[in-house]
Amino acid sequence: MVHVKDLSVTFRNGRNVLHAVRNADLAIADGEIFGIVGTSGAGKSTLLRTVNLLQKPSSGSIIIDGVDITGAKGQELRRFRLSVGMVFQHFNLLYARTVAENVAFPLHIAGKTKKEIDARVPELLDLVGLSDKSSVYPSTLSGGQKQRVGIARALANNPKILLCDEPTSALDLETTNALLDLLGDINRKLGITIILISHEMAVVKKICTKVAVMSEGKIVETGNAYDIFAAPVHPFTRQLVEHTLDLELPPRLLKEVKGSLVKVVYRGEKAEEPVLSDALRKHAVHFNVLHGKIEYINGKPLGVLLIDTIGDKEEIQKAIDYLKTRAESVEVIHG
Amino acid sequence: MDKQYVLSLLADLVKAFGETFQMVGISLAISIAAGIPLGLLLYVTSKNLFWENRAVNVVSGFVINVIRSTPFVILLVILLPITQKIIGTTIGPIAASVPLAIAATVFYARLVQASLCEIDRGIIEAALSFGASPMQIIRDVLVPESMPGLLRGLTVTAISLIGYSAMAGIVGGGGVGDLAIRFGYYRYQTDIMFVTVAILIVLVQAVQMGGDAIAEKTNKK
């Protein structure tokens, strides 16, 4: 359990004062994949770095498994850091060492014997799918492979918590997806708590179970990933998730709508029921789906459809009323 | 040119180069042993690093600048009493190694600092995040990651030392500089001067090429 309590980080540079993090509170349960999202400069990275004290908080505290580690120093701090792995946006690998030596580095720091290291390194490389690259130097690897080395290295000492600082922001879409799948697998296999920051909602949507949204140093909203996407409360969150369910119809189609244009929003289990065909069977209308999108967040669907409902006026109204009982929301946009 | 003359010339050359190698060798060894720690000190006490200490950083930087801004000929003379104390004499290649070693150490320390600055701070941060101690970071991150730069700096230092050691000849250090001045300048034996310079050119080229090759071999970037 990671508890961040009333935490603030303030940077002073001469007369300039920057409040990077303001009064942040977080409670992250064991085994969660917790996402922190926000635009760049929102203070996400600073907040994440306080969890392993790479950044000293100006006030507030970090409590991990009931132990307040905020004031840890020297040997105590180094021992604590062995239980927290970290993955970086720009990988931060040792370029003078091979892949295997990079993975061995944290083990070496932890004082493991050569025998223990030799046994553990192949396991880790196997976990991230890089067994065949053990003796090459990082400069010859692709971005995705470098990050896999970064992940293997971060997991070397069996940490309880894995901090991921924009782990996919330097990678292309395909590599990003493969890497997020890997992080998800690792979370399931090892039960490790993952705290991940990203400026991309797509990353959060794919693997996070819980999300905190940051804006200008403040956490403006926290909740289940699904709820954040389905029903954002804070204006900033709304703006972030807007495009997720934003459907725009070409003007030509809008003009040619024959009946009533209806926007149907689905959430959760309701989205998995055959609502439309049920409505068609009960009412004498035709549906023409003009636009639609179904997102899966943590495997749960969240969808929106734009439907041209064609038929007798009365029947259309009845069909809409029926849809209202079955879907999350039904809105008549036109006609 | 009779045989006798060539032989004595050759003997002088061999002796002179022997002395030069001695001076450069001793000073280079000391500049590695002292210059790398001094460069590391300058680096790790700089802003936002784990041993950040403005006082130590500024004072050591200032001392280095003072030594570096003193012309080497003047440094030679100023250090004569110290050389006398340490070695017991001010004559000969070993005595000349004292000012040479000091000049080379501060010179190399700056080059060490510069190549350490080339290391991505993120790598140091990663090592910190894994619980590495400052000494572990110095030994396992800073030195290996900057190795190509350290070797290139050492090459530059060695070549500068060859040049400086010639100046040390002026105060009785011996070596090729002394030979070239005595024979080539005072005795108008320009042939000796040309031979000496030619050998020096070959020597410097060899050091540069050798240094580059080793540095390239350690470069994994």
Side-chain angles (χ1 to χ4, degrees), chain A residues 88 90-95, chain B residues 43 49 115-127 141-142 145 221:
Chain A
F88 302 87
H90 298 295
F91 327 124
N92 297 350
L93 302 178
L94 297 164
Y95 286 95
Chain B
Y43 181 70
L49 268 150
S115 58
L116 289 170
C117 287
E118 295 290 309
I119 299 175
D120 185 349
R121 289 263 176 128
I123 298 178
I124 300 169
E125 184 154 80
V141 180
L142 297 183
E145 289 295 314
K221 267 200 177 170

Side-chain angles (χ1 to χ4, degrees), chain A residues 49 52 54 78 81-82 84-86 88 92-97 105-106 108-109 137 139 153-154, chain B residues 120-123 125-134 136-137 139-141 144-145 218 220-221:
Chain A
R49 288 154 41 88
N52 64 355
L54 278 180
R78 293 199 285 275
R81 280 178 175 163
L82 293 178
V84 184
M86 191 162 186
F88 302 87
N92 297 350
L93 302 178
L94 297 164
Y95 286 95
R97 290 173 178 239
F105 181 52
H108 174 71
I109 289 171
Y137 286 91
S139 58
R153 183 178 68 168
Chain B
D120 185 349
R121 289 263 176 128
I123 298 178
E125 184 154 80
L128 281 173
S129 81
F130 300 129
S133 68
Q136 281 172 324
I137 292 177
R139 201 184 55 223
D140 295 337
V141 180
E145 289 295 314
T218 61
K220 306 294 184 192
K221 267 200 177 170

Side-chain angles (χ1 to χ4, degrees), chain B residues 100-196:
Chain B
L100 279 173
I102 290 174
T105 297
V106 294
F107 180 66
Y108 188 43
R110 282 293 186 203
L111 297 179
V112 169
Q113 182 194 16
S115 58
L116 289 170
C117 287
E118 295 290 309
I119 299 175
D120 185 349
R121 289 263 176 128
I123 298 178
I124 300 169
E125 184 154 80
L128 281 173
S129 81
F130 300 129
S133 68
M135 286 312 285
Q136 281 172 324
I137 292 177
I138 289 173
R139 201 184 55 223
D140 295 337
V141 180
L142 297 183
V143 174
E145 289 295 314
S146 63
M147 194 49 88
L150 296 184
L151 288 169
R152 284 207 180 85
L154 198 62
T155 308
V156 174
T157 308
I159 289 170
S160 300
L161 267 174
I162 294 172
Y164 280 171
S165 75
M167 261 190 262
I170 298 171
V171 295
V176 285
D178 180 44
L179 186 78
I181 293 256
R182 267 192 294 129
F183 286 77
Y185 187 64
Y186 297 134
R187 291 197 211 163
Y188 301 104
Q189 286 178 313
T190 35
D191 51 348
I192 293 225
M193 201 165 72
F194 283 133
V195 171
T196 319

